[in-house]
Amino acid sequence: MNHVSTYAAAATVGNPTANIAIFAVFVAITMVVVIRASRNNATAADFFTGGRGFSGPQNGIAIAGDYLSAASFLGIAGAIAVYGYDGFLYSIGFLVAWLVALLLVAEMLRNTGKFTMADVLSFRLKQGPVRTAAALTTLAVSLFYLLAQMAGAGGLVALLLDISDKTGQSIVIAVVGVLMIVYVLVGGMNGTTWVQIIKAVLLIAGAALMTVMVFAKFGFNLSDILGSAQEHVTGSKTKGVAARDVLAPGAQYGGSATSKVNFVSLGLALVLGTAGLPHVLMRFYTVPTAKEARRSVVWAIGLIGAFYLFTLVLGYGAAAIVGPDRILAAAGGQNSAAPLLAFELGGVVLLGVISAVAFATILAVVAGLTITAATSFAHDIYAGVIKRGKVDDAKQVRVSRITAVVIGAIAIGLGILANGQNIAFLVALAFAVAAAANLPTILYSLFWKRFNTTGALFSMYGGLISTIVLIVFSPAVSGTATSMLPGSDFDWFPLSNPGIVSIPLAFVLGIVGTFLGKADENPAKAAEMEVRSLTGVGAEKAVVH
């Protein structure tokens, strides 16, 4: 980028030593919490779901911790700072999505399953093929999501420690990966949940503090913040930024018809994706009753909604105080808007604290994703398919730990590849995979009596394969300066997010597969699932059969 040299002075932000020290304190505290929590991991249920011992409010805060990822904090604040109104659409999509999860999925999923999403999907269908498909979609969504978090880690550390070369950033991504693996190996779901709770409290408190400081700087007048942001954009020297009206729609998704369709596709993926995210769905198993599952979602919605209102002020505040030129010129690109704003508002100390919180956000979310993927493999593929249910708890946990190490290594490699991308955008790809591969099958399993194994496999594999193929051949991967592989050009699919094609396709494939396949469900199991999903009676006995 030609504007990097103009702002070389902005490369180092704050004091690298102070930034590392504050982060090290957080890691030390959370590691103690994880080690203490690990003492309670006596059984597989303890390791995978925290022994269903968390209350609704505790789990709600942990869900907020899981959901408010680096994309929420760094990616959305950066998108609003650079694109204004269009950047805030990420916040709206992420928040509205919770209503789908609350109204259609949370309570019934908690009642029907035991450890994973596959427990529900395979309850009245053929165990082997459905569990395998569900585990593969879980691994795919988790890896896409991990990609975003690792990219966020690279960008954040590049900014804080003044590491501009890709090798240095790659080492940092590897360190974050190793830390997350340790959290999961030692603490299981118990330790991971407490890390999520600590991180959620810190993140929301930090965002609230910065919001108040931005307001104070402009006399608690939102109009002044918005006006100043637009002035900064209009006076920008960076190519393409100055012409934007950041207070109206269209700065990012205006113009061509393709761009507008891309926006609809993104919105569809965000709104429908949450109810299919395995690491969010798994949280419903950590509470003792369906009522607590509902309470946890209500708590999560309240906390997440407040946080997204803060991002609106933080994004426009960053545009007004820091300016888009400095944000785009910094080592982390768009993702550095929030740390740069923290430095302007509170100097080295606030920057160190906010950066440590952002790092904590990345660590906690990747730990949650890793344990979800590892649990899915150990419980669904190893115990359910390979061993056909004849396996003890200790062996399941051991396989889960080995899987966590493997997934961590893959995530590190993919994170190095995705370094520099906008992480809100990368997370949107994970949502597209979740919405297409998981949501249709979850809804059909819970609400359609005729649904069968063929329909489930058509929907899951069709949604997963179509989404991944369209992503690979989209501008997200090649063909533009901001692609993952900017030097290549094989983008025959015009949309960056494939949700508008792959999500309806997956729903249709579920119907087609159901009518093509033979009715193979057990009527007794179907009746049991209906009673259990509505009442919760017998939920703890959901075993492989």
Side-chain angles (χ1 to χ4, degrees):
M1 290 185 190
N2 58 3
H3 50 264
V4 172
S5 56
T6 318
Y7 284 92
T12 308
V13 180
N15 183 327
T17 311
N19 296 338
I20 287 181
I22 294 171
F23 175 58
V25 168
F26 173 83
V27 170
I29 292 170
T30 50
M31 202 57 80
V32 169
V33 171
V34 165
I35 291 166
R36 285 177 67 88
S38 70
R39 294 172 189 167
N40 299 323
N41 288 341
T43 66
D46 293 331
F47 187 82
F48 293 145
T49 62
R52 295 184 189 264
F54 290 95
S55 68
Q58 282 176 334
N59 196 47
I61 297 169
I63 288 175
D66 241 336
Y67 198 67
L68 296 175
S69 64
S72 302
F73 188 46
L74 303 176
I76 293 176
I80 294 171
V82 177
Y83 296 111
Y85 186 99
D86 282 14
F88 188 53
L89 294 169
Y90 280 104
S91 293
I92 295 168
F94 284 143
L95 181 59
V96 170
W98 272 104
L99 298 178
V100 179
L102 172 65
L103 298 174
L104 295 179
V105 174
E107 181 181 349
M108 296 176 92
L109 201 80
R110 151 70 189 63
N111 287 345
T112 312
K114 186 179 184 184
F115 290 156
T116 66
M117 178 182 74
D119 287 337
V120 179
L121 303 187
S122 64
F123 193 95
R124 59 190 178 95
L125 306 175
K126 285 185 180 171
Q127 287 283 326
V130 175
R131 279 192 181 276
T132 304
L136 289 174
T137 62
T138 296
L139 291 169
V141 175
S142 299
L143 281 173
F144 268 100
Y145 220 104
L146 280 168
L147 193 74
Q149 306 309 316
M150 296 301 203
L156 184 64
V157 174
L159 180 76
L160 298 179
L161 308 185
D162 192 20
I163 301 172
S164 54
D165 65 295
K166 289 288 182 187
T167 308
Q169 291 177 24
S170 300
I171 292 168
V172 169
I173 289 172
V175 169
V176 171
V178 170
L179 273 172
M180 97 184 164
I181 292 167
V182 171
Y183 278 137
V184 173
L185 293 185
V186 174
M189 180 57 91
N190 241 322
T192 302
T193 300
W194 282 111
V195 172
Q196 299 286 21
I197 291 170
I198 294 167
K199 167 236 137 162
V201 171
L202 288 174
L203 181 62
I204 294 168
L209 173 66
M210 283 176 66
T211 300
V212 171
M213 292 175 81
V214 169
F215 265 123
K217 212 169 179 74
F218 289 91
F220 292 90
N221 188 328
L222 183 60
S223 296
D224 284 356
I225 298 173
L226 300 178
S228 181
Q230 183 59 59
E231 278 175 33
H232 258 86
V233 170
T234 307
S236 170
K237 306 280 192 302
T238 304
K239 183 182 175 187
V241 172
R244 294 175 183 151
D245 177 1
V246 294
L247 304 182
Q252 186 175 11
Y253 294 107
S256 68
T258 302
S259 183
K260 289 171 182 170
V261 174
N262 205 20
F263 163 64
V264 175
S265 188
L266 171 72
L268 200 61
L270 296 182
V271 170
L272 297 179
T274 296
L277 287 176
H279 69 293
V280 170
L281 298 178
M282 206 172 149
R283 285 243 148 260
F284 300 136
Y285 298 127
T286 64
V287 290
T289 64
K291 180 184 174 186
E292 292 298 311
R294 284 198 307 277
R295 278 183 78 200
S296 61
V297 177
V298 172
W299 267 78
I301 289 175
L303 293 169
I304 292 164
F307 180 82
Y308 283 141
L309 288 176
F310 297 153
T311 62
L312 181 66
V313 178
L314 297 181
Y316 277 117
I321 295 168
V322 181
D325 286 347
R326 267 186 68 200
I327 291 167
L328 290 170
Q334 272 186 49
N335 303 327
S336 57
L340 286 169
L341 177 63
F343 185 58
E344 291 296 324
L345 292 172
V348 172
V349 175
L350 185 61
L351 172 75
V353 170
I354 293 301
S355 302
V357 168
F359 243 142
T361 297
I362 291 166
L363 273 177
V365 172
V366 293
L369 285 163
T370 306
I371 194 166
T372 300
T375 299
S376 183
F377 182 85
H379 180 63
D380 298 325
I381 292 183
Y382 177 73
V385 179
I386 297 172
K387 293 291 185 180
R388 298 185 179 277
K390 297 179 178 67
V391 62
D392 60 22
D393 280 5
K395 216 159 207 170
Q396 272 195 76
V397 172
R398 195 179 315 128
V399 170
S400 175
R401 286 181 161 139
I402 294 167
T403 310
V405 174
V406 174
I407 289 165
I410 295 170
I412 290 166
L414 290 174
I416 290 168
L417 185 68
N419 192 11
Q421 298 282 309
N422 179 294
I423 42 190
F425 164 72
L426 288 173
V427 163
L429 297 182
F431 273 66
V433 177
N438 293 339
L439 184 63
T441 311
I442 291 170
L443 294 181
Y444 287 151
S445 293
L446 291 172
F447 297 106
W448 188 18
K449 286 185 178 177
R450 173 149 186 198
F451 191 57
N452 59 24
T453 302
T454 310
L457 298 179
F458 268 46
S459 181
M460 281 193 280
Y461 284 126
L464 179 65
I465 293 166
S466 63
T467 308
I468 290 177
V469 167
L470 293 177
I471 287 172
V472 167
F473 293 105
S474 76
V477 174
S478 72
T480 68
T482 55
S483 300
M484 280 189 207
L485 305 172
S488 305
D489 188 0
F490 45 85
D491 60 325
W492 53 261
F493 182 69
L495 305 178
S496 294
N497 193 302
I500 200 167
V501 175
S502 60
I503 298 169
L505 177 66
F507 274 101
V508 170
L509 285 172
I511 296 169
V512 171
T514 298
F515 285 112
L516 286 178
K518 61 179 186 293
D520 56 5
E521 70 170 23
N522 179 335
K525 275 286 166 198
E528 184 188 343
M529 180 172 179
E530 185 174 17
V531 171
R532 183 181 289 183
S533 67
L534 294 172
T535 65
V537 173
E540 272 68 35
K541 300 192 188 82
V543 293
V544 177
H545 47 268

